[in-house]
C-alpha cells in the first residue's frame, strides 16, 4: 500500500520482478504450472501497482474499484480451481486480501495507508497478517532445492517457484502492515 517512499519503491521493484519471473514461468511445458504462473504474475504486477508510493502517483478514484473487480474475478477463478488442488486456496486468500485492500482504499478516499491512521478492519487485517506470516514461515522452512534430474527450464524449477511465492508472501505482509 502507500507507505514511505523508499520501502514503497523497493516493494514495487520486488513485486514487478516477481511478476516478470512468473511470466517466464508461463513458458513451462506443464499446463497447471502455466496456469498457476499466470495467476501469480497477475498478483505480482497488481501488488507492484498498489505499492507505488502516494508521493509519486495517486491513482484516480476509479482505480481502486477496478482493482477490487479484477482481483474479485481472480478470487472466483481460484475458488473454481480449488476443486483441482488445495494450492489454489492460497491464491484465493491472496486475491481476497487484494480485494480487501482495494476496498479499504476505495472507502477511505484521500487517506493512504502508512500516512496517519489505519485503513480497513483491524481484526481482518490481523487475521490476514497471521495467515501470511504463517505462510511465509512455512514456505521458508520448505525452501530446500528440489532434487531434479538433468537440465530443467526456468518455468519448471520448483525451488524458484517456491522462492517466488515466498517473496510474494513477504510483500503481502509488508502491504498489510502498511495498512
Amino acid at each position: 500500500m502507500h507507505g514511505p517512499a523508499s520501502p514503497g519503491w523497493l516493494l514495487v521493484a520486488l513485486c514487478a520482478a516477481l511478476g516478470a519471473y512468473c511470466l517466464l514461468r508461463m513458458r513451462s511445458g506443464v499446463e497447471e504450472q502455466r496456469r498457476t504462473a499466470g495467476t501469480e504474475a497477475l498478483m505480482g504486477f497488481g501488488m507492484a501497482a498498489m505499492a507505488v508510493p502516494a508521493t509519486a502517483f495517486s491513482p484516480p478514484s476509479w482505480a481502486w474499484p477496478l482493482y477490487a473487480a479484477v482481483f474479485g474475478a481472480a478470487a472466483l477463478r481460484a475458488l473454481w480451481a480449488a476443486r483441482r488442488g488445495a494450492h489454489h486456496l492460497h491464491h484465493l486468500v491472496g486475491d481476497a486480501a487484494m480485494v480487501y485492500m482495494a476496498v479499504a482504499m476505495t472507502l477511505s478516499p484521500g487517506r493512504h495507508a502508512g500516512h496517519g491512521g489505519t485503513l480497513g478492519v483491524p481484526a481482518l487485517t490481523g487475521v490476514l497478517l497471521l495467515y501470511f506470516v504463517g505462510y511465509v514461515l512455512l514456505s521458508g522452512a520448505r525452501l530446500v532445492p528440489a532434487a531434479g534430474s538433468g537440465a530443467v527450464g526456468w518455468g519448471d524449477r520448483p525451488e524458484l517457484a517456491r522462492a517466488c511465492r515466498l517473496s510474494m508472501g513477504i510483500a503481502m505482509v509488508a502491504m498489510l502492515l502498511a495498512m
Side-chain angles (χ1 to χ4, degrees):
M1 304 299 290
H2 296 285
S6 294
W9 285 118
L10 289 173
L11 193 57
V12 169
L14 172 69
C15 293
L18 293 171
Y21 172 69
C22 289
L23 287 179
L24 286 175
R25 285 183 35 227
M26 287 180 68
R27 298 181 347 179
S28 170
V30 180
E31 182 179 347
E32 182 61 26
Q33 289 180 14
R34 284 193 307 268
R35 208 173 321 167
T36 299
T39 301
E40 291 170 354
L42 173 67
M43 180 67 75
F45 289 128
M47 290 170 65
M50 288 179 98
V52 173
T55 56
F57 175 73
S58 287
S61 61
W62 54 265
W64 297 117
L66 179 64
Y67 283 136
V70 167
F71 284 101
L76 289 175
R77 185 176 182 280
L79 182 61
W80 182 256
R83 301 174 297 121
R84 292 188 307 268
H87 172 72
H88 296 287
L89 292 175
H90 171 69
H91 289 164
L92 176 63
V93 174
D95 291 331
M98 294 293 282
V99 169
Y100 167 67
M101 289 186 281
V103 167
M105 294 302 286
T106 300
L107 297 177
S108 301
R111 281 184 43 207
H112 296 287
H115 292 286
T118 60
L119 296 175
V121 180
L124 184 53
T125 303
V127 167
L128 288 170
L129 270 170
L130 284 175
Y131 172 81
F132 282 104
V133 166
Y135 178 80
V136 164
L137 293 173
L138 187 60
S139 295
R142 290 183 184 167
L143 193 58
V144 176
S149 58
V152 178
W154 281 100
D156 297 321
R157 303 268 315 259
E159 70 275 9
L160 291 178
R162 281 189 219 114
C164 179
R165 289 183 194 113
L166 172 66
S167 300
M168 273 199 262
I170 292 168
M172 186 65 79
V173 168
M175 290 175 72
L176 287 165
L177 283 173
M179 287 189 69

